[in-house]
Amino acid sequence: MKTGLPFLHPHCRECISEARRKHARTTRISCAVIVAYALLGRPPALGASPDGCIAGHWIAEAVSFVEGETGRPVPRVCVRWASPETVNRLILSPAPNETHGGAVAAAYLPVNGEIVLANDLDPGTPLARSYLVHELVHAQQFEARAYERASCPGALEGEAYEVQARYLRAKGLEDDAFLFEVLGMLQRACGSS
Ligand SMILES: [Zn+2]
């Protein structure tokens, strides 16, 4: 793969539009990008440990699920809260707000080994936790340097959406699982429909 931005979501806008045509409900997406930490404001301390990383059994549960599904360990990551506006600013898309209303829920930052979650997500809901699952898959991929072997960035997204869908299905959210499955399929096509 030639790109220097292995965890960018270059097809977010197209895939969201396509998915919405097939599935008449709105959703939020997970995105992963490489950015400078300076872009991040200090997140609120919602269940955060002194170093600012969120602590909670729901994080351990998500890690355990990803490891069980993929058969690979999840590297150590710091999960932080950030405002939805901040998470959106992390996305290196020309104008992400134009097409999906700024609805980016999460991002993985390989440079810092951090996952940022929009702080309006309720971690008590499986849908919110599924965004963490998605980003944990990206953390695994980066650790394994999967971007060097992927045929396109979307191939990495495809896996992340697939595991996210499996998590949602395991929680009984069949409709949401279907939507993310479609997103994963579109991403894995590497631009060829
Ligand atoms: Zn992603």
Side-chain angles (χ1 to χ4, degrees):
M1 193 170 69
K2 302 254 190 299
T3 177
L5 295 170
F7 288 83
L8 183 62
H9 279 233
H11 306 304
C12 274
R13 285 176 289 172
E14 296 91 318
C15 68
I16 288 290
S17 304
E18 178 69 17
R20 280 186 177 156
R21 279 199 292 277
K22 298 184 180 192
H23 195 281
R25 61 183 291 172
T26 59
T27 187
R28 304 172 77 182
I29 58 171
S30 311
C31 276
V33 294
I34 298 175
V35 294
Y37 181 68
L39 284 174
L40 279 175
R42 279 286 133 192
L46 295 173
S49 59
D51 60 3
C53 303
I54 306 168
H57 68 87
W58 56 280
I59 294 178
E61 187 245 355
V63 168
S64 173
F65 181 86
V66 171
E67 291 183 337
E69 288 295 315
T70 63
R72 306 193 302 272
V74 170
R76 220 176 140 72
V77 293
C78 174
V79 182
R80 295 182 188 273
W81 295 113
S83 71
E85 295 75 22
T86 298
V87 179
N88 271 284
R89 280 206 307 275
L90 296 178
I91 305 308
L92 302 178
S93 177
N97 292 354
E98 286 180 6
T99 47
H100 48 73
V104 175
Y108 171 60
L109 287 68
V111 169
N112 309 311
E114 293 183 353
I115 290 171
V116 289
L117 299 175
N119 61 16
D120 60 345
L121 293 175
D122 176 1
T125 65
L127 181 60
R129 295 198 296 270
S130 80
Y131 295 115
L132 173 60
V133 165
H134 179 112
E135 303 305 337
L136 289 170
V137 174
H138 283 318
Q140 281 186 328
Q141 293 168 336
F142 190 79
E143 179 86 353
R145 303 177 71 85
Y147 51 85
E148 293 180 345
R149 302 180 297 278
S151 51
C152 71
L156 303 176
E157 290 308 326
E159 184 192 19
Y161 280 124
E162 185 182 306
V163 177
Q164 184 176 8
R166 276 187 246 151
Y167 180 84
L168 289 163
R169 185 160 287 123
K171 300 298 179 184
L173 297 179
E174 180 59 39
D175 288 352
D176 293 301
F178 174 73
L179 174 59
F180 285 105
E181 264 178 1
V182 171
L183 288 174
M185 278 169 18
L186 291 165
Q187 294 279 344
R188 271 197 302 273
C190 290
S192 62
S193 56

Short mmCIF file of all heavy atoms in Angstrom, two decimals, residues 7 9 30-32 134-135 138 157 160-161, ligand 1:
data_model
loop_
_atom_site.label_atom_id
_atom_site.label_comp_id
_atom_site.label_asym_id
_atom_site.label_seq_id
_atom_site.Cartn_x
_atom_site.Cartn_y
_atom_site.Cartn_z
N PHE A 7 -4.29 4.84 8.41
CA PHE A 7 -5.53 4.66 9.15
C PHE A 7 -6.54 5.78 8.89
O PHE A 7 -7.46 5.98 9.63
CB PHE A 7 -5.23 4.50 10.64
CG PHE A 7 -4.62 3.17 10.93
CD1 PHE A 7 -3.27 2.95 10.76
CD2 PHE A 7 -5.41 2.09 11.29
CE1 PHE A 7 -2.71 1.72 10.99
CE2 PHE A 7 -4.87 0.84 11.51
CZ PHE A 7 -3.51 0.65 11.37
N HIS A 9 -9.64 7.35 6.87
CA HIS A 9 -10.85 6.78 6.27
C HIS A 9 -11.15 7.52 4.97
O HIS A 9 -11.93 8.45 4.96
CB HIS A 9 -12.07 6.99 7.17
CG HIS A 9 -12.19 6.02 8.28
ND1 HIS A 9 -13.33 5.30 8.50
CD2 HIS A 9 -11.34 5.67 9.24
CE1 HIS A 9 -13.17 4.54 9.56
NE2 HIS A 9 -11.97 4.76 10.03
N SER A 30 -16.78 5.44 12.94
CA SER A 30 -15.53 5.44 13.67
C SER A 30 -14.44 5.77 12.68
O SER A 30 -14.43 5.26 11.58
CB SER A 30 -15.27 4.06 14.25
OG SER A 30 -16.40 3.58 14.91
N CYS A 31 -13.56 6.62 13.06
CA CYS A 31 -12.47 6.94 12.17
C CYS A 31 -11.16 6.88 12.91
O CYS A 31 -11.09 7.08 14.10
CB CYS A 31 -12.65 8.33 11.57
SG CYS A 31 -13.70 8.33 10.11
N ALA A 32 -10.12 6.61 12.17
CA ALA A 32 -8.81 6.51 12.77
C ALA A 32 -7.84 7.32 11.93
O ALA A 32 -7.81 7.21 10.72
CB ALA A 32 -8.37 5.06 12.82
N HIS A 134 -14.19 -1.11 17.41
CA HIS A 134 -13.66 -0.78 16.08
C HIS A 134 -12.24 -0.23 16.18
O HIS A 134 -11.33 -0.65 15.46
CB HIS A 134 -14.61 0.24 15.43
CG HIS A 134 -14.21 0.71 14.07
ND1 HIS A 134 -14.93 0.41 12.94
CD2 HIS A 134 -13.17 1.48 13.66
CE1 HIS A 134 -14.34 0.96 11.89
NE2 HIS A 134 -13.27 1.62 12.30
N GLU A 135 -12.04 0.72 17.08
CA GLU A 135 -10.73 1.36 17.18
C GLU A 135 -9.68 0.41 17.76
O GLU A 135 -8.49 0.50 17.42
CB GLU A 135 -10.82 2.65 18.01
CG GLU A 135 -11.81 3.67 17.49
CD GLU A 135 -11.62 4.07 16.04
OE1 GLU A 135 -10.49 3.93 15.52
OE2 GLU A 135 -12.60 4.51 15.41
N HIS A 138 -8.14 -1.36 15.01
CA HIS A 138 -7.11 -0.54 14.36
C HIS A 138 -5.81 -0.56 15.16
O HIS A 138 -4.72 -0.56 14.58
CB HIS A 138 -7.60 0.91 14.22
CG HIS A 138 -8.57 1.11 13.10
ND1 HIS A 138 -8.43 0.53 11.86
CD2 HIS A 138 -9.71 1.84 13.04
CE1 HIS A 138 -9.43 0.90 11.09
NE2 HIS A 138 -10.23 1.69 11.78
N GLU A 157 -10.23 -1.01 7.21
CA GLU A 157 -11.53 -0.58 7.72
C GLU A 157 -12.53 -1.72 7.67
O GLU A 157 -13.37 -1.88 8.55
CB GLU A 157 -12.06 0.60 6.89
CG GLU A 157 -11.31 1.88 7.09
CD GLU A 157 -11.19 2.25 8.55
OE1 GLU A 157 -12.12 1.96 9.32
OE2 GLU A 157 -10.14 2.79 8.91
N ALA A 160 -12.22 -3.80 10.68
CA ALA A 160 -12.68 -3.10 11.89
C ALA A 160 -14.21 -3.06 11.94
O ALA A 160 -14.83 -3.30 12.98
CB ALA A 160 -12.10 -1.68 11.93
N TYR A 161 -14.83 -2.77 10.80
CA TYR A 161 -16.30 -2.75 10.77
C TYR A 161 -16.88 -4.14 10.99
O TYR A 161 -17.93 -4.30 11.60
CB TYR A 161 -16.79 -2.18 9.44
CG TYR A 161 -16.74 -0.67 9.36
CD1 TYR A 161 -16.06 -0.02 8.34
CD2 TYR A 161 -17.42 0.12 10.30
CE1 TYR A 161 -16.02 1.36 8.26
CE2 TYR A 161 -17.38 1.49 10.23
CZ TYR A 161 -16.68 2.11 9.21
OH TYR A 161 -16.64 3.48 9.14
ZN ZN B 1 -11.90 2.74 11.18
#
